[in-house]
Amino acid sequence: MGGRVIPFQTTILTLFPSMFPGPLGQSLIGKALAEKLWDLAIIDIREFSFNAYKSVDDTPFGGGAGMVLRPDVLDAAYQSLQEKAVGPFYYLSPRGTPLTQEKLVSLSQEAGVTLLCGRYEGVDERFLQKRGIEEVSIGDYILSGGELAAMVLLDGVLRLRPGILGSKESILDESFSNGLLEYPHYTRPQVWEGEAVPEVLVSGHHARICHWRQEMAEKITRERRPDLWHLYEQRKN
Ligand code: 6GU
């Protein structure tokens, strides 16, 4: 299977290299890693410390809680990448532009991606500015570091790459790809705890099934995500 496509090159800058591949070493994404459909290069930021204590952070100017990653250490790690780093470079941070399915699709068409994972209070602003690094957030909540966010981003991108998921249909049909949440799914047993699966699904009538699924997708989106429903309606008209 592997070897026929150029691997999607991912590079991670982190203070916790042993967190990787973590969940990305499991299931279909993990199998694809073993088959070299994608490659994971881990850069341990601590290796670029300048002192004997291997320190990478310092207290914030102006005071306040926590520590800030030093720009000189970060830049030494950044400059070491050379040809390893292909595609966009993102810093995972709750201050970033929200990650969307659209962004994942566009990223999946790149040669790869490089991700900086922060810890503590953050990274020195000058590093981000001088190197023109874009910040990306995975949602409006705070994690203790960027590593889990990087894994979320990579999982979302990698499953869109050719040869990694089983069937292309499951990508085309899923939530967000058409602007709606997904319709409900059912499998055997046909009756469970007195509850039968919707009659239309066992009718064998493909057009009716299609129509029912569309109706259900619209109902669920309307009820759960008025924001998405609004956008969907605007796009239709
Ligand atoms: Cl990208 N990083 C951290 N630390 N927290 C987050 C996040 C990223 N996105 C949402 N919360």
Side-chain angles (χ1 to χ4, degrees):
M1 279 299 279
R4 289 181 297 126
V5 292
I6 298 165
F8 186 76
Q9 180 64 53
T10 72
T11 304
I12 312 287
L13 291 94
T14 174
L15 286 166
F16 298 91
S18 65
M19 284 178 77
F20 294 90
L24 299 175
Q26 301 290 316
S27 191
L28 294 173
I29 304 279
K31 190 162 157 271
L33 178 61
E35 287 172 352
K36 298 190 162 51
L37 290 177
W38 66 284
D39 182 68
L40 177 63
I42 303 293
I43 307 297
D44 183 355
I45 296 167
R46 199 168 296 282
E47 286 180 10
F48 297 89
S49 164
F50 297 110
N51 60 37
Y53 318 102
K54 292 275 171 204
S55 64
V56 293
D57 53 2
D58 211 326
T59 53
F61 281 114
M67 302 288 271
V68 179
L69 293 179
R70 290 170 55 119
D72 48 359
V73 174
L74 285 169
D75 200 52
Y78 179 77
Q79 300 300 338
S80 80
L81 297 175
Q82 305 289 352
E83 74 288 342
K84 218 177 281 171
V86 290
F89 189 113
Y90 297 133
Y91 168 45
L92 280 313
S93 137
R95 290 196 329 182
T97 310
L99 187 60
T100 59
Q101 188 61 25
E102 202 177 18
K103 181 113 166 174
L104 292 179
V105 169
S106 121
L107 259 180
S108 75
Q109 285 150 14
E110 299 275 356
V113 67
T114 300
L115 304 174
L116 168 62
C117 305
R119 280 265 156 178
Y120 318 115
E121 294 316 297
V123 313
D124 189 288
E125 188 72 18
R126 292 166 297 179
F127 172 70
L128 302 173
Q129 301 236 301
K130 289 268 187 192
R131 301 296 170 251
I133 292 165
E134 198 182 322
E135 292 181 60
V136 172
S137 165
I138 64 161
D140 292 339
Y141 41 80
I142 312 294
L143 305 175
S144 52
E147 285 80 6
L148 289 173
M151 289 178 201
V152 166
L153 184 150
L154 290 182
D155 183 277
V157 169
L158 290 166
R159 59 186 294 286
L160 298 172
R161 297 280 304 175
I164 295 191
L165 275 210
S167 84
K168 288 193 179 66
E169 293 77 42
S170 55
I171 289 178
L172 292 177
D173 228 24
E174 68 198 3
S175 292
F176 304 123
S177 56
N178 57 3
L180 292 174
L181 300 180
E182 250 194 305
Y183 52 79
H185 302 279
Y186 298 88
T187 187
R188 277 178 282 277
Q190 197 174 330
V191 180
W192 182 71
E193 293 203 350
E195 201 72 40
V197 310
E199 192 56 38
V200 61
L201 298 180
V202 293
S203 69
H205 195 306
H206 181 70
R208 280 183 52 211
I209 291 170
C210 232
H211 179 74
W212 180 86
R213 286 180 166 165
Q214 177 68 22
E215 297 269 280
M216 292 303 286
E218 292 184 5
K219 177 175 184 287
I220 288 170
T221 308
R222 222 183 298 121
E223 289 171 357
R224 298 184 187 176
R225 293 292 302 272
D227 57 326
L228 290 181
W229 178 248
H230 184 67
L231 287 173
Y232 179 76
E233 288 216 294
Q234 279 185 327
R235 225 170 296 156
K236 257 193 332 197
N237 304 325

